[in-house]
Amino acid sequence: MANPVDSARASIRPLFRAPEPETLAPLVAAAQLQAEERQGVIHQARGLLGELRAAQTDGWVNQFLQEYRLGTEEGTALLSLAEAFLRVPDADTADLLIADKLGDANWRSHKGQSASLLVNSATWGLVLGKAMVGDESRGVLRKLVSRAGEPFVRQAVGAAMRLMGQVFVMGRTIDEAIKRMDASENKGFTASFDMLGEAARTRADAERYFEAYQGAIAAVGANPARGHSVSVKLSALHPRYETAKAATCVPELSAMLVDLARQAASLNVQLTVDAEEAARLEMSLDIIEAAARDPRLNGWDGLGMAVQAYSKRARPVLAWADALGSDTGRIMQVRLVKGAYWDSEIKWAQERGLSDYPLFTRKPSTDVSYLACAKDMLRAAHIRPAFATHNALTVATIVEWAGHTRDFEFQRLHGMGQGLFEKLVQAEGYHCRIYAPVGGHRDLLAYLVRRLLENGANSSFVHQLADEEVSEEELLADPVDKVMEAGGTRHPSIRLPSDLFMPERRNSEGLDLEDAAVLTDVARAVSLKSVGSAGIDVDVSTAITTAQSAYAEWSAIPVDTRAACLNRLADLLEAHRPQLMAIAVQEAKKTIPDALSEVREAVDFCRYYAARAREDLLPVELPGPTGERNVLRHEGRGVWAAIAPWNFPLAIFLGQVAAALVTGNTVVAKPAPQTPEIARYAVALAYEAGIHKGALQLVTGGG
Ligand code: FAD
C-alpha cells in the first residue's frame, strides 16, 4: 500500500495548472457558511472593522497609497521609483531615474488632497521634484537647493523610500528588532523574524544570508520564553534554487535547512519556511520533507511551513503536511497566507505561454480557497494552524469556526493590520504573531515592492477599507456568493496565456521548464540528432535568378493567401519544436530555455506578420475630390536578401524572411555560416506551409 505522504504528494501535481472552475468547486462547498454562522461572522467582522478604522487614522502609508493608487500614472511612477531607487549605486543615475519617473506625471492634481499631513508634504516634494527634473524651470531650482551638496530631490526621494521601508521593517539588526518587539505597541504579540534578503545571486550572498539566519536563531534562542520564532526564505540560501538544478540545490538546501532546524530545535525556537514562487513549490516540499525525516530532529514540533491559498494546489499541500506530521510523529506548524506573488505569477505564465495559471484569477476565489484551507487546518490532527491575514472578514470567519479553541494563532505583517488583533489578543486570549522583517535598506526592495503592491491594489482588503467609495456591505460580502455568481470561472480580463493577443493572433505555445517531468522529456528530446533537409540550398546566382523570375507570380498572390502560408508555417514550427530545439542546442549551442524562446519567437514573428499584413496591406480607398476613384495599394519591391546572425539563427532568420514574403517580395535567405542546419529545416517547413519554392531561396556558406 502506498505511503500516505506519497499519496498526498501525488495529488498535488495534477492541480498545478488545472482549470479554475473544477478546482474551485470542492473549495466552495467547504467554505460555505450556515445562515447562523454568517450572522456571527458579520457581527464579529463589524467589531473588527471598528477597531481597524480607529487604529488606522494615522496610517500615513495607507493614505499615501490611497492617494497614489496603482491605477494612476502617478502611483505607477512611484512604484517603479521605489522598485529601483535604493539599488542605484551612483548619484547621476539616481538623478536620471528620478527625472524619468517623476517627469511626466501630474503631481499637482494631488496637492492638499489627503487628510494626512505627511502625505501632503510628500506630494509637495513630488511637485517640487517635478519642477526640478522636468523642463519647467530646469536649472534655477536645482541650483538653489543643491547648495547643501547632494541635490535636494535625490535626498528627499531617498528619505521617502527609507521612511516607507521603516514602516514595514522591524529593525536594521536582529537585536534592534527584538528590542522593538518589547515596545508597548507590540504588547502581547510574539514575532517571527525574517532576515531580509531573497533570491541570492551568488554563493557569497547565500552564505551571508545563512549566517544572518543563524544569528537570528541564536538571538531569539537567548530568550526562548518570549516565544519569538524565525522565518526563512529558501531562495536566500542558494544562488541556483531552480528546477534545472534540483539535483544539486535540493540536497544542498535540505542540508542547510537541517542545520538551521537543529540549531533552532536546540534553542527551542520555531523555524518556518516561507512560501515563494509557484515554480519552486515541489522542490520546497522535498526540502521540508528531508528536514522532517532527519532523525536528529525527531520529536521537535518547531518545524513550520507557509502555504499559499491563491495556489490551486493549496489544499492537497495541506493534506500532505498533515500526513508528513503524522508519519514523522510531529505537529507541523503551518502558516496559511493568501500569497504575495500574484501579479508576478500571472505575468510569468503569460510571458512563458503556459497552458493555464497556477493560481486563482479572482480575488474572492482566493478568499474561498483560504477559508476551505483554514477549515481543513482546524480539523487536521498534525497541524498547528497559523492564519496570516489582515482581512477582518477572513479573521471573523476563523474566529467563528474555531469556537472556544485557542490552539492556533493569527499572524500579521509588521506595518500592517494594526488594530485588527489587539482586542482579540488582549481581551479574548487569542495568540497573534507579527512577521517582522529585519535588515538594512539594501536588502529591502523586493519585500517593499510586494508590500506596496499589496497595499496599493484596489482588490486588497486594507486598500478597500481606506476607500470611502467601498461600502461596508461590499467589504463584508460573502466571497462564496461572489464565486458562485461567477460560476468559479477565470477573471474575464485575465485570458489564458494562449489567448493573450486574440483576436489578432494566437500566442506561441510555451513549455513549463519549471516542471521537472517536462524538463526531463525536453532534455531527452534535444539530445537526439536532428538535421535539416540536405540539398535544399543552392548557389547564389541560381538563387537570385530563380527569385527574380518567381517574383511576378508570388507578388500577384492575394495577401490573405500569403498570410495563410505564414500561419501554417507557425503551426508547423510548433509541431516540429523538439527537432528545432535540438538543432538550436546542438548547432547554435543554445541552452534549453533559449532554444525554446528561439522557436517561440519565430512562431510569433510568423503570426504577427501574417496578422499585420492582413490588416495593413488591404487596398485603401482614398478620397476622390473630382469624382475619380483613388486606391492605395502596397506592392512588393522585388528580390530581398535576408542575412541572419548566428545568435538568433531561427527567430531572426525567419522573422525577416516572413516579413519580406508576406509583403509580396521574393527572398534569397542566407543564415550565418555557423548555423545552416536550422535554416535548412525552417525553409523545408516553409515550403511545406505553401510558400513557393522560387519565392524563397536558401544560400548557405561563408561570411
Ligand atoms: P486580502 O486583501 O484579503 O487579500 C489580498 C490577497 O488576495 C493578495 O495578496 C493575493 O494573494 C490575493 N489576490 C488579490 N487579487 C487577486 C486576484 N485577482 N485573484 C486571486 N487572488 C488575488 N506571502 C507569501 O507568498 N509567502 C509567505 O511565506 C508569506 N508569509 C507571510 C507571513 C505573514 C505573517 C503574513 C501576514 C503574510 C505573509 N505573506 C506571505 C503575505 C501574504 O500573502 C499577504 O499578506 C496576503 O496575501 C494578504 O492577504 P490578506 O488576507 O491580508 O488581504
Side-chain angles (χ1 to χ4, degrees):
M1 217 170 77
N3 172 325
V5 182
D6 294 340
S7 1
R9 184 71 191 264
S11 59
I12 296 174
R13 183 185 288 259
L15 289 184
F16 191 8
R17 296 183 191 277
E20 209 154 322
E22 70 185 55
T23 315
L24 268 172
L27 303 178
V28 167
Q32 215 139 23
L33 290 165
Q34 307 297 327
E36 63 277 20
E37 281 180 331
R38 172 85 185 143
Q39 273 179 0
V41 168
I42 292 294
H43 177 75
Q44 180 70 249
R46 289 220 163 96
L48 293 173
L49 281 185
E51 309 274 331
L52 259 174
R53 287 206 172 99
Q56 296 208 337
T57 45
D58 63 343
W60 77 271
V61 168
N62 266 342
Q63 293 183 40
F64 189 82
L65 292 167
Q66 197 68 29
E67 182 61 32
Y68 295 104
R69 291 158 191 248
L70 291 177
T72 66
E73 202 184 339
E74 292 78 29
T76 316
L78 282 177
L79 186 72
S80 5
L81 192 61
E83 201 267 326
F85 184 78
L86 293 179
R87 61 182 160 185
V88 174
D90 64 292
D92 289 345
T93 315
D95 286 345
L96 286 172
L97 179 73
I98 294 171
D100 183 42
K101 297 300 171 201
L102 297 192
D104 294 329
N106 183 12
W107 305 105
R108 282 177 195 281
S109 63
H110 298 267
K111 273 193 310 188
Q113 293 297 312
S114 174
S116 156
L117 197 64
L118 246 169
V119 174
N120 286 332
S121 313
T123 300
W124 272 107
L126 291 164
V127 171
L128 189 62
K130 178 184 159 85
M132 290 169 63
V133 297
D135 285 336
E136 294 171 28
S137 44
R138 189 182 284 282
V140 184
L141 271 168
R142 189 186 285 270
K143 241 187 253 159
L144 204 76
V145 287
S146 67
R147 284 207 192 118
E150 209 181 353
F152 168 77
V153 172
R154 192 184 334 122
Q155 265 182 4
V157 169
M161 294 303 150
R162 276 186 278 275
L163 201 62
M164 238 188 263
Q166 276 164 23
V167 171
F168 297 111
V169 176
M170 186 64 92
R172 280 164 303 176
T173 62
I174 183 72
D175 293 331
E176 198 177 290
I178 290 177
K179 197 155 163 229
R180 192 161 165 198
M181 272 309 293
D182 290 332
S184 58
E185 74 203 48
N186 297 322
K187 191 163 164 264
F189 289 78
T190 49
S192 188
F193 296 104
D194 160 54
M195 305 314 288
L196 279 176
E198 54 196 86
R201 291 279 179 213
T202 61
R203 283 268 171 200
D205 276 350
E207 277 162 23
R208 187 162 56 83
Y209 292 135
F210 183 76
E211 282 163 18
Y213 283 123
Q214 282 180 322
I217 294 168
V220 170
N223 185 5
R226 185 67 179 84
H228 296 323
S229 61
V230 173
S231 290
V232 51
K233 280 194 171 52
L234 295 175
S235 70
L237 298 179
H238 204 288
R240 300 303 296 270
Y241 176 31
E242 51 201 72
T243 308
K245 298 284 171 195
T248 47
C249 77
V250 168
E252 286 175 15
L253 277 165
S254 303
M256 279 187 268
L257 183 63
V258 167
D259 279 352
L260 292 175
R262 287 182 64 201
Q263 184 196 0
S266 72
L267 296 171
N268 202 14
V269 172
Q270 247 185 49
L271 185 70
T272 297
V273 178
D274 281 357
E276 300 187 72
E277 295 84 352
R280 289 174 157 155
L281 177 72
E282 296 263 4
M283 284 186 294
S284 75
L285 301 185
D286 288 340
I287 295 162
I288 291 165
E289 180 163 354
R293 293 198 182 284
D294 191 293
R296 293 164 295 182
L297 291 167
N298 277 353
W300 179 54
D301 282 338
L303 181 62
M305 61 185 285
V307 176
Q308 295 158 324
Y310 65 21
S311 162
K312 291 173 176 169
R313 295 173 289 178
R315 226 173 162 205
V317 169
L318 287 170
W320 172 85
D322 191 34
L324 182 64
S326 162
D327 208 37
T328 58
R330 60 159 47 79
I331 300 293
M332 296 287 291
Q333 306 292 329
V334 179
R335 172 203 304 151
L336 185 64
V337 301
K338 286 180 192 167
Y341 303 79
W342 186 85
D343 313 67
S344 308
E345 297 285 2
I346 294 286
K347 276 287 150 234
W348 288 325
Q350 292 177 338
E351 180 204 325
R352 293 170 193 168
L354 299 178
S355 60
D356 205 328
Y357 299 101
L359 27 76
F360 300 112
T361 55
R362 294 182 196 252
K363 165 71 167 64
S365 309
T366 292
D367 290 334
V368 162
S369 167
Y370 192 97
L371 294 179
C373 290
K375 204 173 222 180
D376 287 355
M377 287 166 71
L378 286 167
R379 290 173 178 164
H382 295 272
I383 286 178
R384 180 168 185 275
F387 300 113
T389 174
H390 313 108
N391 182 321
L393 185 64
T394 311
V395 172
T397 312
I398 290 164
V399 165
E400 174 72 26
W401 280 343
H404 296 296
T405 175
R406 298 290 183 270
D407 190 17
F408 68 95
E409 65 185 42
F410 286 113
Q411 294 190 353
R412 72 167 175 85
L413 295 173
H414 171 63
M416 293 182 65
Q418 292 97 328
L420 184 58
F421 298 106
E422 272 71 2
K423 202 167 146 216
L424 291 176
V425 168
Q426 280 148 22
E428 300 184 37
Y430 290 91
H431 308 281
C432 183
R433 191 177 296 276
I434 298 174
Y435 186 92
V438 179
H441 66 255
R442 182 172 82 144
D443 290 320
L444 164 75
L445 277 165
Y447 183 82
L448 177 63
V449 167
R450 282 203 299 277
R451 292 296 78 81
L452 293 181
L453 276 174
E454 184 174 336
N455 282 270
N458 60 7
S459 61
S460 101
F461 185 86
V462 283
H463 192 87
Q464 293 190 341
L465 181 69
D467 186 346
E468 283 159 8
E469 283 165 27
V470 178
S471 68
E472 189 161 307
E473 199 186 352
E474 233 172 298
L475 208 55
L476 300 184
D478 190 343
V480 169
D481 291 345
K482 290 190 197 164
V483 170
M484 292 204 332
E485 246 167 61
T489 53
R490 193 167 15 84
H491 194 290
S493 306
I494 306 174
R495 305 166 176 195
L496 282 182
S498 57
D499 296 339
L500 212 53
F501 308 114
M502 294 299 265
E504 189 189 78
R505 66 195 156 95
R506 200 150 33 93
N507 190 8
S508 57
E509 194 183 73
L511 273 171
D512 194 354
L513 299 179
E514 300 293 347
D515 181 327
V518 172
L519 189 60
T520 308
D521 285 350
V522 174
R524 194 176 310 118
V526 300
S527 68
L528 301 174
K529 192 82 194 140
S530 188
V531 284
S533 309
I536 211 167
D537 34 336
V538 290
D539 69 84
V540 181
S541 51
T542 313
I544 294 174
T545 323
T546 314
Q548 261 167 346
S549 34
Y551 175 69
E553 190 187 350
W554 179 252
S555 61
I557 291 176
V559 172
D560 225 35
T561 312
R562 294 195 303 252
C565 290
L566 289 198
N567 280 333
R568 271 197 302 277
L569 174 55
D571 293 348
L572 282 169
L573 289 167
E574 286 193 326
H576 289 253
R577 186 174 56 195
Q579 295 87 337
L580 289 163
M581 283 177 66
I583 307 179
V585 165
Q586 292 164 29
E587 181 182 61
K589 312 299 173 204
K590 293 250 166 193
T591 61
I592 289 176
D594 282 352
L596 174 60
S597 302
E598 187 70 25
V599 179
R600 290 193 61 212
E601 193 174 341
V603 170
D604 282 334
F605 268 135
C606 291
R607 293 199 183 123
Y608 174 78
Y609 285 130
R612 291 319 318 157
R614 278 189 168 136
E615 185 95 11
D616 297 343
L617 300 190
L618 287 178
V620 181
E621 288 285 343
L622 299 175
T626 56
E628 84 280 16
R629 181 159 179 255
N630 294 321
V631 181
L632 172 67
R633 290 180 216 282
H634 301 84
E635 290 177 357
R637 307 288 296 256
V639 182
W640 283 35
I643 303 175
W646 60 269
N647 55 344
F648 291 99
L650 181 67
I652 295 188
F653 175 77
L654 263 192
Q656 50 185 328
V657 165
L661 285 171
V662 82
T663 44
N665 302 284
T666 55
V667 180
V668 174
K670 185 198 163 293
Q674 298 86 345
T675 53
E677 278 313 320
I678 199 157
R680 288 192 185 106
Y681 205 105
V683 168
L685 291 182
Y687 294 155
E688 195 181 332
I691 289 162
H692 293 188
K693 289 208 163 130
L696 174 58
Q697 293 288 294
L698 178 71
V699 292
T700 56

